[in-house]
Amino acid sequence: MATDAPPPSKSEHRLLSTEEFVEVQESAEFGELRRSYRSFAFPLTVAFIAWYLLYVLLSNYAGDFMGTKLFGNINVAFVFGVAQFVTTFLIAWWYSRHAAAKLDPKAEAIKSRMEGGA
């Protein structure tokens, strides 16, 4: 029976103590990793929620504006709705690039130091 699980590791991993985890969590390096994540994720989350709420509020209270035809049967509401999907994918792509460039190397360094016992 085939599974998608990776094969077990050949090297032995020692179990880390709670104190070791707390020490890493309190380190400046981990603090920088957390700041890098928060400085990217929080502002984008707030901006996207504001953009989404604007769309919902305009849909509810500015029906004439949202019903304005731009070309053919395409109106402002449709364009804003499609833009919601586009911005969702753009944010996901942007976060992926940010994580690969800034977060993953820092996280990998912390992980390898913990696993290596350095």
Side-chain angles (χ1 to χ4, degrees), residues 12-78:
E12 290 293 322
H13 291 290
R14 68 178 184 88
L15 295 177
L16 300 171
S17 69
T18 303
E19 292 79 20
E20 289 171 303
F21 278 105
V22 170
E23 180 182 328
V24 169
Q25 183 181 7
E26 293 173 348
S27 71
E29 187 178 26
F30 189 80
E32 177 58 33
L33 173 62
R34 193 171 31 227
R35 269 188 300 283
S36 294
Y37 169 75
R38 288 178 178 171
S39 67
F40 185 89
F42 288 175
L44 265 178
T45 300
V46 169
F48 184 78
I49 289 172
W51 160 232
Y52 175 75
L53 290 176
L54 174 69
Y55 174 66
V56 171
L57 290 172
L58 287 174
S59 294
N60 283 318
Y61 300 110
D64 292 339
F65 170 69
M66 295 296 271
T68 303
K69 294 208 180 207
L70 299 174
F71 46 91
N73 286 329
I74 306 299
N75 61 16
V76 172
F78 181 77

